[in-house]
Amino acid sequence: MISRRLCLFAFMGLLAVLGCAKFELKAESGFAMPWNGFLEQAGSGKTDLLDRSNFRAYFIPTAGYEFFQEHLIEVSIIHFSVNSSLEATGTESLITYESMFRQDVLSVTYGYVLPVLDRFSLQLGVQGRLLFKQIDLTGSEQYSRKMTDFGFGPAADIKLKMNDQVFVALEVATGLGKGNGFINFYAGLHFEGPFYYVRAGSRYWSLTNSFDGDRLFLSFVSLGAQFCAYF
């Protein structure tokens, strides 16, 4: 009997919270350009991982809830992979090899929406990222590694009002984990609607890893658009 009452109270509380919440669906899509990437193995030099001219399409779906117009929780899933054909000059001959990098990310963000200050709107919070990565080198260079990492750190979303519909938007999230770190920075124009917004701009993100004496560094510059609808 007591457990049934507790379940009933929990269900009623959930309904009350959802009654004061807005459901959010967001998607971002565009093209990502590899900017820098190398693998530094213990006792050897750097091995390039990315061909800078290798543009890749990306798509990021996000779902979230906004409670009481102050609290926002978002969950996004990111899949990204890039293959590159690379060359390097060795001591005796030309080295040719293939590089494959794949990353899957589950990201959870909590944000607290502060009261509007004149022309500024500010949202502060934290972001956690669970990252699944895979690196494979074939050909003259041989290397294979799979990693599962977790990073956690602060996140912010800033809007500067130009008029009632147009804002300058800045997003930044950064975090650290065991032997890894990430940074994600976005800048663009934000167009506000009655139940939606659209953003267009560029995004820069990078990640690092240290494991067993090896060091991985990757960074990308992306150009795309973001659409968000509230229900």
Side-chain angles (χ1 to χ4, degrees), residues 61-150:
T62 302
Y65 266 107
E66 183 181 289
F67 300 92
F68 307 109
Q69 298 182 339
E70 295 178 349
H71 308 279
L72 177 65
I73 297 176
E74 293 183 333
V75 178
S76 63
I77 300 174
I78 307 167
H79 168 77
F80 191 83
S81 64
V82 59
N83 298 322
S84 299
S85 298
L86 299 160
E87 295 182 351
T89 303
T91 56
E92 299 179 356
S93 62
L94 186 66
I95 298 172
T96 60
Y97 58 97
E98 301 287 330
S99 169
M100 188 281 289
F101 170 72
R102 172 176 174 171
Q103 176 173 276
D104 296 294
V105 181
L106 176 63
S107 173
V108 180
T109 305
Y110 165 76
Y112 178 76
V113 183
L114 279 72
V116 177
L117 300 173
D118 193 15
R119 296 170 59 195
F120 287 93
S121 300
L122 181 61
Q123 174 186 306
L124 297 176
V126 292
Q127 184 177 98
R129 288 192 168 200
L130 185 61
L131 304 101
F132 305 90
K133 307 174 202 171
Q134 180 178 348
I135 305 170
D136 288 305
L137 299 178
T138 57
S140 302
E141 295 282 345
Q142 299 286 332
Y143 190 87
S144 183
R145 182 84 185 200
K146 291 184 179 180
M147 297 160 283
T148 301
D149 297 321
F150 177 75

Coordinates of all heavy atoms in Angstrom, one line a residue, residues 61-150:
P61 N 21.3 15.6 -33.7 CA 19.9 15.7 -33.1 C 20.0 15.9 -31.6 O 20.9 15.3 -30.9 CB 19.3 14.4 -33.5 CG 20.4 13.4 -33.5 CD 21.7 14.2 -33.9
T62 N 19.1 16.7 -31.1 CA 19.1 17.1 -29.7 C 17.6 17.1 -29.2 O 16.8 17.7 -29.9 CB 19.7 18.4 -29.4 OG1 21.1 18.4 -29.9 CG2 19.8 18.7 -27.9
A63 N 17.4 16.5 -28.0 CA 16.1 16.6 -27.4 C 16.2 17.2 -26.0 O 17.2 16.9 -25.3 CB 15.4 15.2 -27.3
G64 N 15.3 18.0 -25.6 CA 15.4 18.6 -24.3 C 14.1 19.0 -23.6 O 13.0 19.0 -24.3
Y65 N 14.2 19.4 -22.4 CA 13.0 19.9 -21.6 C 13.4 21.2 -20.9 O 14.5 21.3 -20.3 CB 12.5 18.9 -20.6 CG 11.4 18.0 -21.0 CD1 11.7 16.7 -21.3 CD2 10.1 18.5 -21.2 CE1 10.7 15.8 -21.7 CE2 9.1 17.6 -21.6 CZ 9.4 16.3 -21.9 OH 8.4 15.5 -22.3
E66 N 12.6 22.2 -21.0 CA 12.8 23.4 -20.3 C 11.7 23.5 -19.2 O 10.5 23.5 -19.5 CB 12.6 24.6 -21.2 CG 12.9 26.0 -20.5 CD 12.8 27.1 -21.5 OE1 13.6 27.3 -22.4 OE2 11.8 27.9 -21.4
F67 N 12.2 23.6 -17.9 CA 11.2 23.6 -16.8 C 11.2 25.0 -16.2 O 12.2 25.7 -15.9 CB 11.7 22.7 -15.7 CG 11.8 21.2 -16.1 CD1 13.0 20.7 -16.6 CD2 10.8 20.4 -16.0 CE1 13.1 19.4 -17.0 CE2 10.9 19.1 -16.5 CZ 12.1 18.6 -17.0
F68 N 9.9 25.5 -16.0 CA 9.7 26.8 -15.3 C 10.5 27.9 -15.9 O 10.8 28.9 -15.2 CB 10.1 26.6 -13.8 CG 9.4 25.5 -13.1 CD1 10.2 24.4 -12.7 CD2 8.1 25.5 -12.8 CE1 9.6 23.3 -12.1 CE2 7.5 24.4 -12.2 CZ 8.2 23.3 -11.8
Q69 N 10.8 27.8 -17.2 CA 11.5 28.9 -17.9 C 12.9 29.2 -17.4 O 13.5 30.2 -17.7 CB 10.7 30.2 -18.0 CG 9.3 30.0 -18.7 CD 8.5 31.3 -18.8 OE1 8.8 32.2 -18.0 NE2 7.6 31.3 -19.7
E70 N 13.4 28.3 -16.5 CA 14.7 28.6 -15.9 C 15.7 27.4 -16.0 O 16.9 27.7 -16.2 CB 14.5 28.9 -14.4 CG 13.8 30.1 -14.0 CD 13.6 30.3 -12.5 OE1 13.9 29.3 -11.8 OE2 13.2 31.4 -12.1
H71 N 15.2 26.2 -16.1 CA 16.0 25.0 -16.1 C 15.9 24.3 -17.4 O 14.8 24.1 -17.9 CB 15.7 24.1 -14.9 CG 15.7 24.7 -13.6 ND1 16.8 25.0 -12.9 CD2 14.6 25.2 -12.9 CE1 16.5 25.6 -11.7 NE2 15.1 25.7 -11.7
L72 N 17.0 24.0 -18.0 CA 17.0 23.3 -19.3 C 17.9 22.1 -19.3 O 19.1 22.2 -18.8 CB 17.5 24.3 -20.4 CG 17.6 23.7 -21.8 CD1 16.2 23.3 -22.4 CD2 18.3 24.7 -22.8
I73 N 17.4 21.0 -19.7 CA 18.2 19.7 -19.8 C 18.1 19.3 -21.3 O 17.0 19.1 -21.8 CB 17.6 18.6 -18.9 CG1 17.8 19.1 -17.4 CG2 18.4 17.3 -19.1 CD1 17.2 18.1 -16.4
E74 N 19.3 19.0 -21.9 CA 19.3 18.6 -23.3 C 20.2 17.3 -23.4 O 21.2 17.2 -22.7 CB 20.0 19.7 -24.1 CG 19.1 20.9 -24.3 CD 19.8 21.9 -25.2 OE1 21.0 21.9 -25.3 OE2 19.1 22.8 -25.8
V75 N 19.8 16.5 -24.3 CA 20.5 15.2 -24.6 C 20.7 15.2 -26.1 O 19.8 15.3 -26.9 CB 19.8 14.0 -24.1 CG1 20.5 12.7 -24.5 CG2 19.5 14.0 -22.6
S76 N 22.0 15.0 -26.5 CA 22.3 15.0 -28.0 C 23.1 13.8 -28.3 O 23.9 13.3 -27.4 CB 23.0 16.3 -28.4 OG 24.2 16.4 -27.8
I77 N 23.0 13.3 -29.5 CA 23.8 12.2 -30.0 C 24.6 12.7 -31.2 O 24.0 13.2 -32.2 CB 22.9 11.0 -30.3 CG1 22.2 10.5 -29.1 CG2 23.8 9.8 -30.9 CD1 21.2 9.4 -29.4
I78 N 25.9 12.4 -31.2 CA 26.8 12.9 -32.3 C 27.5 11.7 -32.9 O 28.2 11.0 -32.1 CB 27.7 14.0 -31.8 CG1 27.0 15.1 -31.1 CG2 28.5 14.5 -33.0 CD1 27.9 16.0 -30.4
H79 N 27.4 11.5 -34.2 CA 28.3 10.5 -34.8 C 29.1 11.2 -35.9 O 28.6 12.0 -36.7 CB 27.4 9.4 -35.5 CG 28.2 8.5 -36.4 ND1 29.0 7.5 -36.0 CD2 28.3 8.5 -37.8 CE1 29.6 6.9 -37.0 NE2 29.2 7.5 -38.1
F80 N 30.4 10.8 -35.9 CA 31.3 11.5 -36.9 C 32.4 10.5 -37.3 O 33.0 9.9 -36.4 CB 31.9 12.8 -36.3 CG 32.6 13.6 -37.3 CD1 31.9 14.5 -38.1 CD2 34.0 13.5 -37.4 CE1 32.6 15.3 -39.0 CE2 34.6 14.3 -38.4 CZ 33.9 15.2 -39.2
S81 N 32.7 10.4 -38.6 CA 33.8 9.6 -39.0 C 34.4 10.3 -40.2 O 33.8 10.9 -41.0 CB 33.3 8.2 -39.4 OG 32.4 8.2 -40.5
V82 N 35.7 10.0 -40.4 CA 36.5 10.6 -41.5 C 37.6 9.7 -41.9 O 38.3 9.2 -41.0 CB 37.0 12.0 -41.1 CG1 37.9 12.0 -39.9 CG2 37.7 12.7 -42.3
N83 N 37.7 9.5 -43.2 CA 38.8 8.7 -43.7 C 39.8 9.6 -44.5 O 39.3 10.4 -45.3 CB 38.3 7.5 -44.6 CG 37.4 6.6 -43.9 OD1 37.7 6.2 -42.7 ND2 36.3 6.1 -44.5
S84 N 41.1 9.3 -44.4 CA 42.0 10.1 -45.1 C 43.1 9.3 -45.7 O 43.5 8.2 -45.1 CB 42.7 11.2 -44.1 OG 41.7 12.0 -43.6
S85 N 43.6 9.7 -46.9 CA 44.8 9.1 -47.5 C 46.0 10.0 -47.3 O 45.9 11.2 -47.8 CB 44.5 8.8 -49.0 OG 43.5 7.9 -49.1
L86 N 47.0 9.6 -46.7 CA 48.1 10.5 -46.3 C 49.5 10.0 -46.8 O 49.6 8.8 -47.1 CB 48.1 10.7 -44.8 CG 46.9 11.3 -44.2 CD1 46.8 10.9 -42.7 CD2 46.8 12.8 -44.4
E87 N 50.4 11.0 -46.9 CA 51.8 10.6 -47.3 C 52.7 11.3 -46.4 O 52.4 12.4 -45.8 CB 52.0 11.1 -48.8 CG 51.2 10.4 -49.8 CD 51.6 10.9 -51.2 OE1 52.4 11.9 -51.3 OE2 51.2 10.3 -52.2
A88 N 53.8 10.7 -46.1 CA 54.9 11.2 -45.3 C 56.2 10.8 -45.8 O 56.4 9.7 -46.3 CB 54.7 10.8 -43.8
T89 N 57.2 11.7 -45.7 CA 58.6 11.3 -46.2 C 59.4 10.7 -45.1 O 59.6 11.3 -44.1 CB 59.3 12.6 -46.7 OG1 58.5 13.2 -47.7 CG2 60.6 12.3 -47.3
G90 N 59.7 9.4 -45.3 CA 60.6 8.7 -44.3 C 62.0 9.0 -44.6 O 62.4 9.8 -45.5
T91 N 62.9 8.3 -43.9 CA 64.3 8.5 -44.0 C 64.8 7.9 -45.4 O 65.8 8.4 -45.9 CB 65.1 7.8 -42.9 OG1 64.7 6.4 -42.8 CG2 64.8 8.5 -41.6
E92 N 64.1 6.9 -45.9 CA 64.6 6.2 -47.1 C 63.6 6.3 -48.2 O 63.9 6.3 -49.4 CB 64.9 4.8 -46.8 CG 66.0 4.6 -45.8 CD 66.3 3.2 -45.5 OE1 65.6 2.3 -46.1 OE2 67.3 2.9 -44.7
S93 N 62.3 6.3 -47.9 CA 61.3 6.3 -49.0 C 60.0 7.0 -48.6 O 59.9 7.5 -47.4 CB 60.9 4.8 -49.3 OG 60.4 4.2 -48.1
L94 N 59.1 7.1 -49.5 CA 57.8 7.8 -49.3 C 56.9 6.8 -48.6 O 56.7 5.7 -49.0 CB 57.2 8.2 -50.6 CG 55.9 9.1 -50.5 CD1 56.2 10.4 -49.9 CD2 55.3 9.2 -51.9
I95 N 56.3 7.3 -47.5 CA 55.4 6.5 -46.7 C 53.9 6.9 -47.0 O 53.6 8.0 -47.0 CB 55.6 6.7 -45.2 CG1 57.0 6.2 -44.8 CG2 54.6 5.9 -44.4 CD1 57.4 6.6 -43.4
T96 N 53.1 5.9 -47.5 CA 51.7 6.2 -47.7 C 50.9 5.3 -46.8 O 51.2 4.1 -46.6 CB 51.4 5.8 -49.2 OG1 51.7 4.5 -49.5 CG2 52.2 6.7 -50.1
Y97 N 49.8 5.8 -46.3 CA 49.0 5.1 -45.4 C 47.6 5.7 -45.4 O 47.3 6.8 -45.8 CB 49.6 5.1 -44.0 CG 49.8 6.5 -43.4 CD1 48.8 7.0 -42.5 CD2 50.9 7.2 -43.7 CE1 49.0 8.3 -42.0 CE2 51.1 8.5 -43.1 CZ 50.2 9.0 -42.3 OH 50.3 10.3 -41.7
E98 N 46.6 4.9 -44.9 CA 45.2 5.3 -44.7 C 44.9 5.5 -43.2 O 45.4 4.8 -42.4 CB 44.3 4.2 -45.3 CG 44.5 3.9 -46.7 CD 44.0 5.0 -47.7 OE1 43.1 5.7 -47.3 OE2 44.6 5.1 -48.8
S99 N 44.1 6.6 -43.0 CA 43.7 6.9 -41.6 C 42.2 6.9 -41.5 O 41.5 7.4 -42.4 CB 44.3 8.3 -41.2 OG 43.7 8.7 -40.0
M100 N 41.7 6.3 -40.5 CA 40.2 6.2 -40.2 C 40.0 6.7 -38.8 O 40.6 6.1 -37.8 CB 39.6 4.9 -40.4 CG 38.1 4.9 -40.4 SD 37.4 4.8 -38.7 CE 37.8 3.2 -38.2
F101 N 39.2 7.7 -38.6 CA 38.8 8.1 -37.2 C 37.3 8.1 -37.1 O 36.6 8.6 -38.0 CB 39.3 9.6 -37.0 CG 38.8 10.1 -35.7 CD1 39.2 9.7 -34.4 CD2 37.8 11.1 -35.7 CE1 38.7 10.2 -33.3 CE2 37.3 11.7 -34.6 CZ 37.7 11.2 -33.3
R102 N 36.8 7.6 -36.1 CA 35.4 7.5 -35.8 C 35.1 7.9 -34.4 O 35.8 7.5 -33.5 CB 34.8 6.1 -36.0 CG 33.3 6.0 -35.6 CD 32.8 4.6 -36.0 NE 31.4 4.4 -35.4 CZ 30.6 3.4 -35.7 NH1 31.1 2.5 -36.5 NH2 29.4 3.4 -35.2
Q103 N 34.0 8.7 -34.2 CA 33.7 9.1 -32.8 C 32.2 9.2 -32.7 O 31.5 9.7 -33.5 CB 34.2 10.5 -32.5 CG 33.8 11.1 -31.2 CD 34.5 12.3 -30.8 OE1 35.6 12.3 -30.3 NE2 33.9 13.5 -31.1
D104 N 31.7 8.6 -31.6 CA 30.3 8.6 -31.2 C 30.2 9.3 -29.8 O 31.0 8.9 -28.9 CB 29.6 7.2 -31.2 CG 29.6 6.6 -32.5 OD1 28.9 7.1 -33.4 OD2 30.3 5.6 -32.7
V105 N 29.3 10.3 -29.7 CA 29.3 11.0 -28.4 C 27.8 11.1 -27.9 O 26.9 11.4 -28.7 CB 29.8 12.5 -28.7 CG1 29.7 13.3 -27.3 CG2 31.2 12.5 -29.2
L106 N 27.7 10.8 -26.6 CA 26.4 11.0 -25.9 C 26.6 12.2 -25.0 O 27.5 12.1 -24.1 CB 26.0 9.8 -25.2 CG 24.7 10.0 -24.3 CD1 23.5 10.3 -25.2 CD2 24.4 8.8 -23.4
S107 N 25.9 13.3 -25.3 CA 26.1 14.5 -24.5 C 24.9 14.9 -23.7 O 23.8 14.9 -24.2 CB 26.5 15.7 -25.5 OG 26.6 16.9 -24.8
V108 N 25.1 15.3 -22.4 CA 24.0 15.7 -21.6 C 24.4 17.1 -21.0 O 25.5 17.2 -20.4 CB 23.7 14.7 -20.4 CG1 22.6 15.2 -19.5 CG2 23.4 13.3 -21.0
T109 N 23.5 18.0 -21.2 CA 23.7 19.4 -20.7 C 22.6 19.9 -19.8 O 21.5 19.7 -20.1 CB 23.9 20.4 -21.9 OG1 24.9 19.9 -22.8 CG2 24.2 21.8 -21.5
Y110 N 23.0 20.5 -18.7 CA 22.1 21.2 -17.8 C 22.4 22.7 -17.9 O 23.6 23.1 -17.7 CB 22.1 20.7 -16.4 CG 21.4 21.7 -15.5 CD1 20.0 21.7 -15.4 CD2 22.1 22.6 -14.7 CE1 19.4 22.6 -14.6 CE2 21.5 23.5 -13.9 CZ 20.1 23.5 -13.8 OH 19.5 24.4 -13.0
G111 N 21.4 23.5 -18.1 CA 21.6 24.9 -18.1 C 20.6 25.7 -17.2 O 19.4 25.3 -17.2
Y112 N 21.0 26.7 -16.6 CA 20.2 27.6 -15.8 C 20.1 28.9 -16.5 O 21.1 29.6 -16.8 CB 20.7 27.8 -14.4 CG 19.9 28.7 -13.5 CD1 18.7 28.3 -13.0 CD2 20.3 30.0 -13.3 CE1 17.9 29.1 -12.2 CE2 19.5 30.9 -12.5 CZ 18.3 30.4 -12.0 OH 17.5 31.3 -11.3
V113 N 18.9 29.3 -16.8 CA 18.6 30.5 -17.6 C 18.5 31.7 -16.7 O 17.6 31.8 -15.8 CB 17.3 30.4 -18.5 CG1 17.2 31.7 -19.3 CG2 17.4 29.2 -19.4
L114 N 19.4 32.6 -16.7 CA 19.4 33.8 -15.9 C 18.5 34.9 -16.4 O 18.1 34.9 -17.6 CB 20.8 34.4 -15.8 CG 21.8 33.8 -14.8 CD1 22.3 32.4 -15.3 CD2 23.0 34.7 -14.5
P115 N 18.0 35.7 -15.5 CA 17.1 36.8 -16.0 C 17.8 37.7 -17.0 O 19.0 37.9 -17.0 CB 16.8 37.6 -14.7 CG 17.0 36.7 -13.6 CD 18.1 35.7 -14.1
V116 N 17.1 38.2 -18.0 CA 17.6 39.0 -19.1 C 18.2 40.3 -18.5 O 17.6 41.0 -17.7 CB 16.6 39.3 -20.1 CG1 17.1 40.2 -21.2 CG2 16.0 38.0 -20.7
L117 N 19.5 40.6 -18.9 CA 20.2 41.8 -18.4 C 20.3 42.7 -19.6 O 21.2 42.5 -20.5 CB 21.5 41.4 -17.9 CG 21.5 40.5 -16.7 CD1 23.0 40.1 -16.3 CD2 20.9 41.1 -15.5
D118 N 19.4 43.7 -19.7 CA 19.4 44.7 -20.8 C 19.4 43.9 -22.1 O 18.4 43.3 -22.5 CB 20.7 45.6 -20.7 CG 20.6 46.8 -21.6 OD1 19.5 47.1 -22.1 OD2 21.6 47.5 -21.8
R119 N 20.5 43.9 -22.9 CA 20.6 43.3 -24.2 C 21.2 41.9 -24.1 O 21.3 41.2 -25.1 CB 21.4 44.1 -25.1 CG 20.8 45.5 -25.4 CD 21.8 46.4 -26.2 NE 22.1 45.7 -27.5 CZ 23.2 46.1 -28.2 NH1 24.0 47.1 -27.8 NH2 23.4 45.5 -29.3
F120 N 21.5 41.4 -22.9 CA 22.2 40.1 -22.8 C 21.2 39.1 -22.2 O 20.5 39.3 -21.3 CB 23.4 40.2 -21.9 CG 24.6 40.9 -22.5 CD1 24.7 42.3 -22.4 CD2 25.5 40.3 -23.3 CE1 25.8 43.0 -22.9 CE2 26.5 40.9 -23.9 CZ 26.7 42.3 -23.7
S121 N 21.3 37.9 -22.8 CA 20.6 36.7 -22.3 C 21.7 35.7 -22.0 O 22.6 35.4 -22.9 CB 19.6 36.1 -23.2 OG 18.6 37.1 -23.5
L122 N 21.7 35.1 -20.8 CA 22.8 34.2 -20.4 C 22.3 32.9 -19.8 O 21.3 32.9 -19.0 CB 23.7 34.9 -19.4 CG 24.9 34.2 -18.9 CD1 25.8 33.8 -20.0 CD2 25.6 35.0 -17.8
Q123 N 22.8 31.8 -20.3 CA 22.5 30.5 -19.7 C 23.8 29.8 -19.3 O 24.7 29.7 -20.1 CB 21.8 29.7 -20.8 CG 21.5 28.2 -20.4 CD 21.0 27.4 -21.5 OE1 20.0 27.8 -22.1 NE2 21.6 26.3 -21.9
L124 N 23.9 29.5 -18.0 CA 25.1 28.8 -17.5 C 24.7 27.4 -17.0 O 23.6 27.2 -16.5 CB 25.6 29.6 -16.3 CG 26.1 31.1 -16.6 CD1 26.5 31.7 -15.3 CD2 27.2 31.1 -17.6
G125 N 25.7 26.5 -17.2 CA 25.4 25.2 -16.7 C 26.6 24.3 -16.8 O 27.8 24.7 -16.8
V126 N 26.4 23.0 -16.9 CA 27.4 22.0 -17.0 C 27.1 21.0 -18.1 O 25.9 20.8 -18.5 CB 27.6 21.2 -15.7 CG1 28.1 22.1 -14.6 CG2 26.3 20.6 -15.3
Q127 N 28.1 20.4 -18.7 CA 27.9 19.4 -19.7 C 28.8 18.2 -19.5 O 30.0 18.3 -19.1 CB 28.3 20.0 -21.1 CG 28.0 19.0 -22.3 CD 28.3 19.7 -23.6 OE1 29.4 19.5 -24.2 NE2 27.3 20.4 -24.1
G128 N 28.2 17.0 -19.7 CA 29.0 15.8 -19.6 C 28.9 15.1 -20.9 O 27.9 15.1 -21.6
R129 N 30.1 14.5 -21.3 CA 30.2 13.8 -22.6 C 30.8 12.5 -22.5 O 31.9 12.3 -21.9 CB 31.0 14.6 -23.6 CG 30.4 15.9 -24.1 CD 31.1 16.5 -25.3 NE 30.4 17.6 -25.9 CZ 30.6 18.0 -27.1 NH1 31.6 17.5 -27.9 NH2 29.9 19.0 -27.6
L130 N 30.1 11.5 -23.0 CA 30.6 10.1 -23.0 C 31.0 9.9 -24.5 O 30.2 9.9 -25.4 CB 29.5 9.1 -22.6 CG 29.9 7.6 -22.6 CD1 31.0 7.4 -21.5 CD2 28.7 6.7 -22.2
L131 N 32.3 9.6 -24.7 CA 32.9 9.6 -26.0 C 33.4 8.2 -26.3 O 34.1 7.6 -25.5 CB 34.0 10.6 -26.2 CG 33.7 12.0 -25.9 CD1 34.2 12.4 -24.5 CD2 34.4 13.0 -26.9
F132 N 33.0 7.7 -27.5 CA 33.5 6.4 -28.0 C 34.3 6.7 -29.3 O 33.8 7.2 -30.2 CB 32.4 5.4 -28.3 CG 31.4 5.2 -27.2 CD1 30.3 6.0 -27.0 CD2 31.6 4.2 -26.3 CE1 29.4 5.8 -26.0 CE2 30.8 4.0 -25.2 CZ 29.7 4.8 -25.1
K133 N 35.6 6.4 -29.2 CA 36.5 6.8 -30.3 C 37.2 5.5 -30.9 O 37.5 4.6 -30.1 CB 37.6 7.8 -29.9 CG 37.0 9.0 -29.2 CD 38.1 9.9 -28.7 CE 37.6 10.8 -27.6 NZ 38.7 11.5 -26.9
Q134 N 37.5 5.6 -32.1 CA 38.3 4.5 -32.8 C 39.3 5.1 -33.8 O 38.9 6.0 -34.6 CB 37.4 3.5 -33.5 CG 38.1 2.4 -34.2 CD 37.2 1.4 -34.8 OE1 35.9 1.4 -34.6 NE2 37.7 0.5 -35.6
I135 N 40.5 4.7 -33.8 CA 41.6 5.1 -34.7 C 42.2 3.9 -35.3 O 42.6 3.0 -34.6 CB 42.7 5.9 -34.0 CG1 42.1 7.1 -33.2 CG2 43.7 6.4 -35.0 CD1 43.1 7.8 -32.4
D136 N 42.3 3.9 -36.7 CA 42.9 2.8 -37.4 C 43.9 3.4 -38.5 O 43.4 4.3 -39.3 CB 41.9 1.9 -38.1 CG 41.2 1.1 -37.1 OD1 41.8 0.3 -36.3 OD2 39.9 1.1 -37.1
L137 N 45.1 3.0 -38.4 CA 46.1 3.3 -39.5 C 46.4 2.0 -40.2 O 46.8 1.0 -39.6 CB 47.3 4.0 -38.9 CG 47.2 5.3 -38.2 CD1 48.5 5.8 -37.6 CD2 46.5 6.4 -39.1
T138 N 46.4 2.1 -41.5 CA 46.7 0.9 -42.4 C 47.7 1.3 -43.5 O 47.7 2.5 -43.9 CB 45.5 0.2 -43.0 OG1 44.8 1.2 -43.7 CG2 44.6 -0.3 -41.9
G139 N 48.5 0.4 -44.0 CA 49.5 0.7 -45.0 C 50.9 0.7 -44.4 O 51.2 -0.1 -43.6
S140 N 51.6 1.8 -44.8 CA 53.0 1.9 -44.2 C 53.0 2.1 -42.7 O 53.9 1.7 -42.0 CB 53.7 3.0 -44.9 OG 53.8 2.8 -46.3
E141 N 52.0 2.8 -42.2 CA 51.8 3.0 -40.8 C 50.7 2.1 -40.2 O 49.6 2.0 -40.8 CB 51.5 4.5 -40.5 CG 52.5 5.5 -40.8 CD 53.6 5.5 -39.8 OE1 53.5 5.0 -38.7 OE2 54.7 6.0 -40.2
Q142 N 51.0 1.4 -39.1 CA 50.0 0.4 -38.6 C 49.7 0.9 -37.1 O 50.6 1.1 -36.3 CB 50.6 -1.0 -38.6 CG 50.9 -1.5 -39.9 CD 49.7 -1.9 -40.7 OE1 48.7 -2.3 -40.1 NE2 49.8 -1.9 -42.0
Y143 N 48.4 1.1 -36.9 CA 48.0 1.5 -35.5 C 46.5 1.2 -35.4 O 45.8 1.5 -36.4 CB 48.3 2.9 -35.3 CG 48.2 3.3 -33.8 CD1 49.2 3.2 -32.9 CD2 47.0 3.9 -33.4 CE1 49.1 3.6 -31.6 CE2 46.8 4.3 -32.1 CZ 47.9 4.2 -31.2 OH 47.7 4.5 -29.9
S144 N 46.1 0.8 -34.3 CA 44.6 0.6 -34.0 C 44.4 0.8 -32.5 O 45.1 0.2 -31.7 CB 44.2 -0.9 -34.4 OG 42.8 -1.0 -34.3
R145 N 43.3 1.5 -32.3 CA 43.0 1.8 -30.9 C 41.5 2.2 -30.8 O 41.0 2.9 -31.6 CB 43.8 3.0 -30.4 CG 43.6 3.4 -28.9 CD 44.5 2.6 -28.0 NE 44.2 2.8 -26.6 CZ 45.0 2.5 -25.6 NH1 46.2 2.0 -25.9 NH2 44.7 2.8 -24.4
K146 N 40.9 1.6 -29.7 CA 39.5 2.0 -29.4 C 39.5 2.6 -28.0 O 40.2 2.1 -27.1 CB 38.6 0.8 -29.4 CG 38.3 0.3 -30.8 CD 37.3 -0.8 -30.8 CE 37.0 -1.3 -32.2 NZ 36.0 -2.4 -32.2
M147 N 38.7 3.7 -27.8 CA 38.7 4.3 -26.5 C 37.3 4.7 -26.1 O 36.5 5.0 -26.9 CB 39.5 5.6 -26.5 CG 41.0 5.5 -26.8 SD 41.7 7.0 -27.4 CE 41.1 7.0 -29.1
T148 N 37.1 4.6 -24.8 CA 35.8 5.1 -24.2 C 36.2 6.1 -23.1 O 36.9 5.7 -22.2 CB 35.0 4.0 -23.6 OG1 34.7 3.0 -24.6 CG2 33.7 4.5 -23.0
D149 N 35.8 7.3 -23.2 CA 36.2 8.4 -22.3 C 34.9 9.1 -21.8 O 33.9 9.2 -22.5 CB 37.1 9.4 -23.0 CG 38.4 8.8 -23.5 OD1 38.9 8.0 -22.8 OD2 38.8 9.2 -24.6
F150 N 35.1 9.8 -20.7 CA 34.1 10.7 -20.1 C 34.7 12.0 -19.8 O 35.7 12.0 -19.1 CB 33.4 10.1 -18.9 CG 32.4 11.0 -18.3 CD1 31.1 11.1 -18.9 CD2 32.7 11.7 -17.1 CE1 30.2 11.9 -18.3 CE2 31.7 12.5 -16.5 CZ 30.4 12.6 -17.1

